[in-house]
Amino acid sequence: MWVSSSCPVCQFCQKLSEAPTNPTCSVCQTSENLWICVICGFVGCGRYKEGHSIRHWKGTQHCYSLDLETQRVWDYVGDSYVHRLNHSKSDVKHAKFSSKCEYPGDNCVNCMHDDSDMGGVMFSSKADTIVDEYNRLLASQLETQREYYEALLSDAKKEREHHISVAVDKTINDKLQELQLKLENTMLEKKKVAEMNEKLTKSQDIWRQTVKGIEERERAQLKLKDDTILDLEEQIKDFRYSIKLQKSIAKSSHADDLKGGMLVPLAMESDSGKGKRSSRTSKRRN
């Protein structure tokens, strides 16, 4: 049936017979000089219009197109009509068929067929020849298409592998650069930390020496203050003793005899420092 037919030309003709409309180019919508691809059914205008049919051949390598006006098939590869081959083969078969007659001439009594039978046989022979030629051309075109698409698949596979290889190399290079940058940053940070640690160590030694000097000065100052306080306490004690002694002398009955006398301090064996301070006190009294 037409519905299940795989021939795109037959399907196109069936659609036109069911719904008569003017066919147009699939690209520019023109209705003049139309050709239909016998491989996929693409309808395009001829080279004397916009040339979409020949562009379709260049893009898909479908080299056979049927002229919708003359019903002749054009071969873009051979740049000629394929019906010339059909006519030549049909003429050869017709010649072979005619040569079976044993008697020459048109009024052969042994040939038991009329002109109508001869015409039917010739039409059948031509039809068979056309079908054979069409099948041969279709098989050749399908083989060409198979090689064409296999080449496209091979090119696409090679291009895909090339893109994958380029992408992998780019990814690896980017990753290596990233790792190298991280390593350089880490080494730089390590160097900075080492320098900072060295500076901190030097600063720590300096601060230790400074703190030690401060502690020594504080200890010396504390010792000096303690010595000063002890000396002042001894002087206060001597001063109190001197005042007490003067009061005692003033109350004594021999005060007049003691006036103008000299007070001689006695050195004490247990505390020489106190003797010295007493000596200094006596000197101050005089």
Side-chain angles (χ1 to χ4, degrees):
M1 296 178 63
W2 285 99
V3 177
S4 60
S5 177
S6 60
C7 177
V9 179
C10 297
Q11 293 178 0
F12 180 78
C13 294
Q14 177 67 16
K15 290 180 181 179
L16 291 180
S17 63
E18 293 177 354
T21 56
N22 292 327
T24 58
C25 176
S26 301
V27 180
C28 64
Q29 305 304 320
T30 183
S31 59
E32 298 178 0
N33 192 18
L34 297 179
W35 297 75
I36 181 171
C37 177
V38 299
I39 305 300
C40 64
F42 174 82
V43 178
C45 56
R47 66 185 67 187
Y48 300 108
K49 286 294 182 180
E50 298 296 331
H52 292 123
S53 181
I54 193 171
R55 293 181 187 177
H56 173 72
W57 162 62
K58 292 180 180 179
T60 61
Q61 297 299 312
H62 295 172
C63 60
Y64 298 112
S65 291
L66 175 68
D67 189 353
L68 294 181
E69 294 181 1
T70 62
Q71 300 298 312
R72 292 187 298 177
V73 179
W74 180 265
D75 180 11
Y76 286 105
V77 176
D79 199 23
S80 62
Y81 288 105
V82 299
H83 289 75
R84 294 179 181 177
L85 298 176
N86 296 337
H87 288 320
S88 62
K89 288 191 176 183
S90 63
D91 293 339
V92 171
K93 287 187 178 181
H94 178 64
K96 290 181 180 180
F97 175 77
S98 300
S99 64
K100 291 181 181 180
C101 182
E102 296 179 356
Y103 299 98
D106 296 334
N107 297 322
C108 180
V109 295
N110 294 325
C111 295
M112 303 301 297
H113 54 272
D114 54 7
D115 294 339
S116 61
D117 293 337
M118 180 63 68
V121 171
M122 292 178 61
F123 178 79
S124 178
S125 176
K126 289 183 178 181
D128 293 339
T129 303
I130 292 174
V131 170
D132 293 340
E133 183 67 18
Y134 180 80
N135 290 333
R136 187 187 68 81
L137 293 174
L138 186 59
S140 175
Q141 179 64 21
L142 291 176
E143 181 66 20
T144 304
Q145 287 296 299
R146 183 184 65 80
E147 295 176 356
Y148 171 72
Y149 284 113
E150 285 181 354
L152 288 180
L153 289 175
S154 178
D155 294 340
K157 184 178 179 181
K158 291 180 180 179
E159 186 176 0
R160 179 173 175 270
E161 292 177 352
H162 176 70
H163 287 326
I164 291 175
S165 177
V166 171
V168 170
D169 293 339
K170 185 177 183 300
T171 303
I172 292 174
N173 291 331
D174 294 342
K175 194 66 177 179
L176 288 176
Q177 291 179 0
E178 183 180 356
L179 293 176
Q180 184 67 25
L181 183 60
K182 288 183 179 179
L183 180 61
E184 292 177 356
N185 293 332
T186 304
M187 295 297 295
L188 184 60
E189 291 179 359
K190 181 181 178 181
K191 184 178 179 181
K192 290 181 179 179
V193 170
E195 293 176 353
M196 186 178 296
N197 189 19
E198 184 179 358
K199 291 181 181 179
L200 291 175
T201 303
K202 292 181 180 179
S203 300
Q204 186 178 7
D205 295 337
I206 294 173
W207 279 107
R208 283 178 179 176
Q209 294 177 1
T210 303
V211 171
K212 186 177 180 181
I214 292 173
E215 290 178 350
E216 290 178 354
R217 287 195 298 271
E218 288 181 352
R219 284 195 295 269
Q221 290 178 359
L222 289 175
K223 185 178 180 182
L224 180 60
K225 288 180 181 179
D226 292 339
D227 294 340
T228 303
I229 290 171
L230 290 175
D231 189 28
L232 291 174
E233 288 178 351
E234 290 296 332
Q235 290 180 10
I236 291 172
K237 186 185 290 185
D238 292 342
F239 185 70
R240 287 178 178 176
Y241 180 76
S242 176
I243 292 175
K244 185 177 180 181
L245 183 59
Q246 289 179 1
K247 288 182 179 181
S248 299
I249 292 173
K251 292 179 180 180
S252 175
S253 57
H254 303 285
D256 295 332
D257 296 334
L258 293 174
K259 290 181 179 180
M262 180 179 293
L263 182 61
V264 179
L266 298 175
M268 299 179 65
E269 296 178 358
S270 60
D271 194 352
S272 60
K274 290 182 179 180
K276 292 180 180 179
R277 283 192 290 272
S278 298
S279 176
R280 287 197 298 270
T281 305
S282 299
K283 290 181 180 179
R284 282 197 296 272
R285 288 189 191 126
N286 294 331

